[in-house]
């Protein structure tokens, strides 16, 4: 019996090795089966003129989260820009999100980048997305799964209370009373999105990502002498407090 146990243990260790994971015998990421959606929900500056910052962020956030271990097979990304190579309507975005959620049932990452007003977030040319609308989308797509919702927009703190639940983490670019920055024609990304992109390569998990992004935003605002900082908000539900440290991002090894 002892000899059989040793053989079985040796086989398990071999299958659990990085080489075995790369060969596809076991999942190579803790995010196998997670649905992820990254949505650029606006394409204009404050005067309605087209800008590239939101779409730049969508493109490079996709790269960053793929590198962190989120599978492409259950990831969708959309631009609501009318002249995008593959233009999407708000309904196409929601249908695509719900379809992806049927293919990846282990967890959810939803990331929105857009403009915001004190009561809602711009969602293309559809009616603006209120907190009640957002929570209904999250409930339908993600249910009781572990869920991370990131909202990059002015006044995005309005979503925190409504989205708060034990199975969720919510990270926003600003408090409910504050604007965020970087949505102009001369910016590569909105500042918050740029800070998430900057923090992703070294972050070990979502908690480290939130800390890195918030520190980066504070640094940028100090460098630009911003009078009223955006105050990014973070909520972590009781279930997620235990789960998030175990959901570690993929990182290159020596």
């Amino acid at each position: 019996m002892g000899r059989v146990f040793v053989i079985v243990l040796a086989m398990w260790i071999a299958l659990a090795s990085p080489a075995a994971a790369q060969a596809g015998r076991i999942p190579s990421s803790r995010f196998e089966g997670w649905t992820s959606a990254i949505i650029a929900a606006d394409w204009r500056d404050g005067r309605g003129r087209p800008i590239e910052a939101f779409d730049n962020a969508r493109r490079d956030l996709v790269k960053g989260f793929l590198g962190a271990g989120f599978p492409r097979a259950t990831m969708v990304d959309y631009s609501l820009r009318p002249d995008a190579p593959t233009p999407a309507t708000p309904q196409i975005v929601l249908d695509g999100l719900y379809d992806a959620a049927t293919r990846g049932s282990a967890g959810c990452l939803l990331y929105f980048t857009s403009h915001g007003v004190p009561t809602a977030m711009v969602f293309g040319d559809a009616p603006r997305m209120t907190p009640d609308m957002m929570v209904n989308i999250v409930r339908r797509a993600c249910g009781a799964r572990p869920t991370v919702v990131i909202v990059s927009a002015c006044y995005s703190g309005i979503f925190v209370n409504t989205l708060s639940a034990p199975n969720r983490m919510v990270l926003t670019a600003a408090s409910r009373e504050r604007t965020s920055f970087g949505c102009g024609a001369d910016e590569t990304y909105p500042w918050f999105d740029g800070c998430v992109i900057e923090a992703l390569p070294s972050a070990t998990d979502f908690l480290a990502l939130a800390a890195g992004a918030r520190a980066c935003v504070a640094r940028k605002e100090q460098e630009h002498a911003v009078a009223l900082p955006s105050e990014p908000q973070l909520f972590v539900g009781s279930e997620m407090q235990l789960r998030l440290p175990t959901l570690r991002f993929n990182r290159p090894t020596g």
Side-chain angles (χ1 to χ4, degrees):
M1 177 66 73
R3 180 179 177 83
V4 171
F5 174 79
V6 170
I7 293 172
V8 171
L9 179 61
M11 292 174 64
W12 183 89
I13 292 172
L15 286 172
S17 69
Q22 291 172 6
R25 288 194 287 269
I26 61 172
S28 59
S29 167
R30 290 172 176 84
F31 297 100
E32 268 322 299
W34 273 59
T35 296
S36 53
I38 300 168
I39 300 161
D42 203 359
W43 63 94
R44 299 159 288 201
D45 67 8
R47 297 182 180 181
R49 298 171 299 192
I51 59 173
E52 302 297 328
F54 297 115
D55 278 299
N56 289 342
R58 174 192 56 80
R59 177 196 66 211
D60 291 342
L61 286 164
V62 167
K63 294 176 183 176
F65 283 112
L66 287 173
F70 287 82
R72 194 55 167 129
T74 50
M75 176 186 287
V76 292
D77 68 282
Y78 293 101
S79 170
L80 283 164
R81 189 184 190 106
D83 61 351
T86 307
T89 65
Q91 191 59 54
I92 288 173
V93 170
L94 295 180
D95 289 345
L97 168 59
Y98 298 145
D99 178 68
T102 66
R103 293 180 279 112
S105 58
C108 277
L109 165 64
L110 308 182
Y111 195 118
F112 300 87
T113 179
S114 187
H115 283 296
V117 297
T119 58
M121 181 190 76
V122 175
F123 194 57
D125 288 326
R128 289 172 175 167
M129 186 178 293
T130 65
D132 286 344
M133 294 166 66
M134 175 82 79
V135 77
N136 286 333
I137 291 167
V138 174
R139 284 173 181 157
R140 177 174 171 184
C142 304
R145 308 170 198 176
T147 299
V148 177
V149 183
I150 303 176
V151 187
S152 175
C154 293
Y155 310 106
S156 47
I158 62 170
F159 294 101
V160 173
N161 287 345
T162 308
L163 288 173
S164 295
N167 65 311
R168 295 190 193 131
M169 168 181 156
V170 184
L171 176 63
T172 70
S175 71
R176 63 185 308 118
E177 299 91 8
R178 298 291 178 89
T179 59
S180 56
F181 303 95
C183 301
D186 57 343
E187 300 283 356
T188 303
Y189 314 112
W191 288 3
F192 178 83
D193 295 331
C195 283
V196 172
I197 291 165
E198 177 182 307
L200 263 170
S202 59
T204 54
D205 56 32
F206 275 113
L207 294 175
L209 178 63
R214 295 168 86 186
C216 170
V217 168
R219 184 188 74 239
K220 279 181 169 287
E221 292 176 343
Q222 290 172 0
E223 290 171 351
H224 289 80
V226 170
L228 289 175
S230 54
E231 298 180 344
Q233 300 293 298
L234 175 65
F235 165 84
V236 182
S238 56
E239 294 174 12
M240 292 296 271
Q241 291 174 23
L242 300 174
R243 186 183 295 269
L244 284 174
T246 72
L247 294 171
R248 297 180 67 82
F249 295 158
N250 283 1
R251 288 292 166 255
T253 57

